[in-house]
Amino acid sequence: MHAPRRVVVIGYGMAGARLAEEIRRRDPAGDRVELTVLGAEPMAAYNRVLLSSVVAGTMSQDAVRLHEHDWAQHHHVDLRLAATAVRIDRSRRQVVLASGEQVGYDALVLATGSSAWIPPTPGLVAEDGELAEGVVAFRTMADCERILESARAGAPVAVLGGGLLGLEAARGLAGRGNLVTVVHPAGHLMERQLDGGAGRVLARTLSGLGIEFRIGQAATNYLPGDGLKLADGSHVPADLVVVSAGVRAETMLAADAGLSVDRGVLVDDALRTSDPRVHALGDCAQHPGTVSGLVQPAWEQAAVLADLLTGTDPAARYRGTPVVTRLKARDVDLAALGEVHVDVDCAEAEVLCVADPARGRYAKLVLRDERVTGAILLGAPDAAAAVTQLFDRGAPAPSDRLALLLGRALPVAASGAGDIPAAAVICKCNTVSKGQLVSAWREGARSMSALAERTRATTGCGGCSDQVCGVLDWLNTQEPAQLT
């Protein structure tokens, strides 16, 4: 019998942790793969998607942890925490750690993720290169701890960045009783995922939750203990500045090792870098079929890479992921997918748009050849569930477009869950279909927590919770024999 291949994963974030799980799912005893995972942080992997809930105080640090403390031991994984890789020696096939230790590999996987980008605003960075006093990024669990230590109830806080993460941080801090002002240089919020109309409705909704906005304004200076000066000469008082202005892929290790790098580490459909013995996935990888910064592509990549590294399916390939963006903010329901910047008068597409700013609702639907190619659903959870299913399946949209846009088509509550095809993906983050939920229920998973443990549904962004609950309610009204 051949000795197992030595696979080393650099990174124990969401992508690295998922890859380790997927490898052991295919090779439980480690007969084919001797697995080493190097994590730079001193703690177990955690769900970065839910950090805003930690800031808000609605979830504990333990609740967002992906693995128990003894997970690695029970799954034959050599897990090393606080182990920072500083160099890759490709000729000798070794990873050099900050401690000087060298770890040999037959196959290497880069899952180094991304880091917060700090805008060049004077005052944000101290002379020693560290963030100035009163400035915190929003990217890691350690960042959350610093935010919670610094954000006293009632104190003014400025959030730099009105993108997805910035708004989640702002909502969490406002929920804790802070006076939050979001400073965003673009013309509207979440400009990558929303059009101007949706951005304005979202700003109005969040304003009603106690968040103030300075949109279209750039910060020109930061004074510790005072706040931010803006381009128009105005001032935003802030005891704390939370920076969430974007992320940059961590590519330094790859570049120093001579691998091909652009915005990320370049990979092909087998997730191979320019060195076929080195792979990359997640936020650090650049594949033409998806965007970085979202969890679903990383988890789909992990499944493909686990197939390849274990030899389970040598033909496995990653072809890309059509992503759905969800805002994880209490009292706000927002989903955006596909083409969102198509105008209603576009001749090549069918575009519908309904706006109800006073009630925080905005719905936009883009169709080509009778199929959903883009949508923005704000304050319309029923419509979001139906539209997302159509988008995932590539199925023709109902002829009554308005009913679809208003959430009156393809319901996913208990009354309509039986009409959903078994192949329909309910949890996009974990690619869990209705059929998998039914199978897990048959095997004894009769509660939300049991379904989550068995299938991983709801453990990503959490945006599918209502849909999973609807399927569960429907299942609990059925006789097992009826579920064919």
Side-chain angles (χ1 to χ4, degrees):
M1 182 176 178
H2 296 294
R5 291 181 74 208
R6 297 173 301 164
V7 174
V8 175
V9 180
I10 302 179
Y12 185 45
M14 295 183 75
R18 172 54 69 92
L19 176 61
E21 291 177 9
E22 293 287 355
I23 287 174
R24 281 297 171 255
R25 195 177 284 256
R26 292 156 177 78
D27 179 31
D31 296 326
R32 286 174 279 175
V33 170
E34 178 186 304
L35 184 59
T36 300
V37 178
L38 307 173
E41 294 184 75
M43 63 191 72
Y46 51 87
N47 189 332
R48 200 182 304 276
V49 173
L50 300 176
L51 289 183
S52 58
S53 298
V54 176
V55 170
T58 57
M59 297 187 78
S60 67
Q61 291 189 19
D62 284 345
V64 302
R65 189 171 56 197
L66 293 175
H67 292 151
E68 296 299 326
H69 70 278
D70 56 356
W71 173 85
Q73 178 183 346
H74 287 167
H75 290 84
H76 309 287
V77 176
D78 180 6
L79 173 61
R80 309 186 193 187
L81 301 179
T84 302
V86 295
R87 188 165 61 86
I88 300 168
D89 186 336
R90 291 198 291 132
S91 63
R92 299 174 62 190
R93 294 183 201 159
Q94 290 184 337
V95 178
V96 181
L97 305 183
S99 63
E101 184 180 0
Q102 298 177 353
V103 183
Y105 67 83
D106 297 312
L108 178 65
V109 180
L110 300 176
T112 49
S114 57
S115 57
W117 177 72
I118 308 300
T121 304
L124 290 181
V125 178
E127 291 183 0
D128 61 1
E130 299 296 321
L131 292 178
E133 181 184 353
V135 179
V136 182
F138 180 54
R139 186 65 187 157
T140 67
M141 187 68 78
D143 293 335
C144 284
E145 292 172 354
R146 284 192 287 270
I147 290 170
L148 295 177
E149 289 169 1
S150 306
R152 295 167 298 162
V157 176
V159 175
L160 272 182
L164 186 68
L165 289 178
L167 295 182
E168 291 176 359
R171 179 67 186 102
L173 286 162
R176 295 185 72 91
N178 290 106
L179 308 175
V180 181
T181 302
V182 174
V183 178
H184 190 54
H188 65 270
L189 300 177
M190 291 181 62
E191 70 279 1
R192 288 176 57 191
Q193 297 92 358
L194 304 181
D195 61 13
R200 287 187 289 274
V201 175
L202 179 59
R204 179 168 176 166
T205 298
L206 292 171
S207 295
L209 298 173
I211 301 171
E212 295 187 0
F213 291 94
R214 303 291 180 88
I215 296 174
Q217 291 292 327
T220 58
N221 197 28
Y222 166 68
L223 294 174
D226 182 29
L228 295 169
K229 183 178 180 181
L230 306 187
D232 64 357
S234 62
H235 174 258
V236 176
D239 290 359
L240 174 69
V241 173
V242 177
V243 180
S244 186
V247 297
R248 295 292 182 269
E250 285 285 5
T251 60
M252 186 176 298
L253 265 179
D256 288 347
L259 301 174
S260 297
V261 169
D262 183 26
R263 297 185 313 277
V265 183
L266 297 176
V267 295
D268 62 12
D269 288 354
L271 300 167
R272 292 173 298 210
T273 68
S274 52
D275 179 341
R277 288 187 177 273
V278 181
H279 300 75
L281 82 166
D283 279 1
C284 74
Q286 182 179 334
H287 183 280
T290 193
V291 297
S292 62
L294 297 171
V295 67
Q296 186 192 349
W299 285 352
E300 291 186 9
Q301 291 166 1
V304 169
L305 194 48
D307 278 341
L308 295 172
L309 293 173
T310 60
T312 303
D313 181 6
R317 294 295 184 269
Y318 176 71
R319 306 297 186 186
T321 304
V323 297
V324 176
T325 301
R326 294 187 181 275
L327 179 67
K328 278 73 66 182
R330 187 159 46 94
D331 304 317
V332 182
D333 194 293
L334 170 64
L337 52 94
E339 301 180 284
V340 296
H341 296 293
V342 182
D343 293 331
V344 291
D345 56 358
C346 175
E348 290 79 33
E350 180 185 352
V351 184
L352 294 81
C353 189
V354 176
D356 183 9
R359 292 167 181 79
R361 294 186 290 191
Y362 185 94
K364 180 178 183 179
L365 189 63
V366 182
L367 303 105
R368 297 180 190 270
D369 299 324
E370 298 297 312
R371 285 164 172 77
V372 175
T373 60
I376 302 171
L377 290 312
L378 173 59
D382 291 340
V387 170
T388 299
Q389 287 180 23
L390 290 171
F391 179 72
D392 288 342
R393 293 159 49 199
S399 58
D400 190 342
R401 312 291 204 228
L402 190 58
L404 177 61
L405 204 59
L406 297 177
R408 296 172 184 166
L410 298 180
V412 295
S415 59
D419 297 327
I420 302 173
V425 176
I426 302 296
C427 174
K428 278 186 68 70
C429 289
N430 293 291
T431 322
V432 181
S433 67
K434 175 194 166 185
Q436 289 171 292
L437 293 174
V438 171
S439 296
W441 184 86
R442 279 174 167 161
E443 293 166 4
R446 301 297 170 90
S447 67
M448 285 287 284
S449 60
L451 281 176
E453 183 176 354
R454 186 71 61 88
T455 68
R456 295 184 178 136
T458 74
T459 63
C461 73
C464 64
S465 295
D466 289 344
Q467 294 167 268
V468 175
C469 184
V471 172
L472 177 62
D473 288 346
W474 169 73
L475 284 168
N476 287 334
T477 66
Q478 306 300 305
E479 294 295 333
Q482 295 177 277
L483 300 175
T484 58

